[in-house]
Amino acid sequence: MDDGTTIAATSEQLAEVRFNADGLVPVIAQDVLNGDVLMMAWMNRESLDMTLSEGRMVYWSRSRQELWRKGDTSGDHQLVREAFFDCDGDTLLFKVEQVGAGACHTGERTCFFRSFG
Amino acid sequence: MDDGTTIAATSEQLAEVRFNADGLVPVIAQDVLNGDVLMMAWMNRESLDMTLSEGRMVYWSRSRQELWRKGDTSGDHQLVREAFFDCDGDTLLFKVEQVGAGACHTGERTCFFRSFG
């Protein structure tokens, strides 16, 4: 398997990230190849550090209250390619290479497979 | 100015949306033309209804605790083109046509203009 891109964030950049009262920040995962928004999930500081240093998306599961290294169970990993933080530092955007069937636990490639109207 | 696309969501679709304890749901705005993720903000049920019926993005401002019809002050509206909800209904994705300078209050086109590393 191809490796993800590790990212050496500076302490100044990391200090810009504003975690909420639960110590979490929302993270958007976007397919680097076609631009599709794949999913939105959450990271705490530990999972953010792991994601940047491993080059693989590691979220914090709010339902299970544990680190969630995406794909460890399903095989559907997400390899990091680029990482961004927004103007007020309270949302992150990762451009990823989706491995396997897709991002969604339903088997769909993106979690946003249902439209209004 | 071009008009946004109004969307007639069914009651079944709207019932899938899961608002958090504050009555809010995170909303990703994506540029329908180039796929850029522009911003992430929040909607309550009222602003979601207004967005779908007006075809223009209306958020809930958590800092001001009021409805935020994007662009009313800046002129930088967002016209609705397509709307999606994710597998567990706790995040929305809108594909929009960004009018004016951009989505970000800094003047940048996208709020995610800063990268890690």
Side-chain angles (χ1 to χ4, degrees):
Chain A
M1 188 180 80
D2 191 14
D3 286 333
T5 306
T6 60
I7 293 177
T10 66
S11 54
E12 289 77 11
Q13 291 164 350
L14 289 170
E16 292 282 333
V17 180
R18 284 165 46 186
F19 296 93
N20 69 12
D22 295 324
L24 302 177
V25 63
V27 180
I28 301 163
Q30 182 178 28
D31 190 319
V32 70
L33 298 178
N34 66 8
D36 282 353
V37 176
L38 296 170
M39 59 184 284
M40 200 281 273
W42 299 78
M43 290 185 183
N44 61 8
R45 177 59 196 262
E46 183 182 8
S47 62
L48 174 58
D49 289 343
M50 293 170 70
T51 296
L52 295 170
S53 64
E54 295 183 15
R56 249 188 71 182
M57 296 299 278
V58 182
Y59 300 100
W60 176 257
S61 169
R62 294 180 304 168
S63 56
R64 297 192 304 273
Q65 288 286 303
E66 64 181 22
L67 288 169
W68 168 29
R69 186 180 278 101
K70 175 77 177 156
D72 266 359
T73 306
S74 63
D76 300 339
H77 308 123
Q78 295 175 329
L79 303 177
V80 173
R81 290 297 174 229
E82 296 177 86
F84 303 83
F85 53 105
D86 77 345
C87 51
D88 49 10
D90 66 1
T91 307
L92 308 183
L93 170 67
F94 279 77
K95 296 193 180 183
V96 305
E97 193 173 322
Q98 177 69 52
V99 177
C104 191
H105 72 286
T106 62
E108 300 279 347
R109 182 155 181 86
T110 163
C111 294
F112 298 95
F113 59 91
R114 298 182 293 180
S115 58
F116 290 108
Chain B
M1 188 179 81
D2 192 13
D3 285 334
T5 305
T6 60
I7 293 177
T10 66
S11 54
E12 289 76 13
Q13 291 164 350
L14 289 169
E16 293 282 333
V17 181
R18 285 164 47 185
F19 296 93
N20 69 12
D22 295 323
L24 302 176
V25 63
V27 179
I28 301 164
Q30 181 178 30
D31 190 318
V32 70
L33 299 178
N34 66 9
D36 282 354
V37 175
L38 296 170
M39 59 185 284
M40 200 281 274
W42 299 78
M43 289 185 184
N44 61 7
R45 177 61 195 261
E46 183 184 8
S47 63
L48 173 58
D49 289 342
M50 293 170 71
T51 295
L52 295 170
S53 64
E54 296 183 13
R56 249 188 71 182
M57 297 298 277
V58 182
Y59 300 101
W60 176 258
S61 169
R62 295 182 304 169
S63 57
R64 296 192 305 272
Q65 289 286 301
E66 63 181 21
L67 289 168
W68 168 29
R69 187 180 278 100
K70 175 77 178 155
D72 267 0
T73 306
S74 64
D76 299 340
H77 308 122
Q78 295 176 329
L79 303 177
V80 173
R81 291 299 175 226
E82 295 177 87
F84 303 83
F85 52 104
D86 76 347
C87 51
D88 48 10
D90 65 1
T91 307
L92 308 184
L93 170 66
F94 279 76
K95 296 193 179 182
V96 305
E97 192 174 322
Q98 177 68 53
V99 178
C104 191
H105 73 284
T106 62
E108 301 279 347
R109 182 154 182 86
T110 164
C111 293
F112 298 94
F113 60 91
R114 298 182 294 179
S115 58
F116 290 106

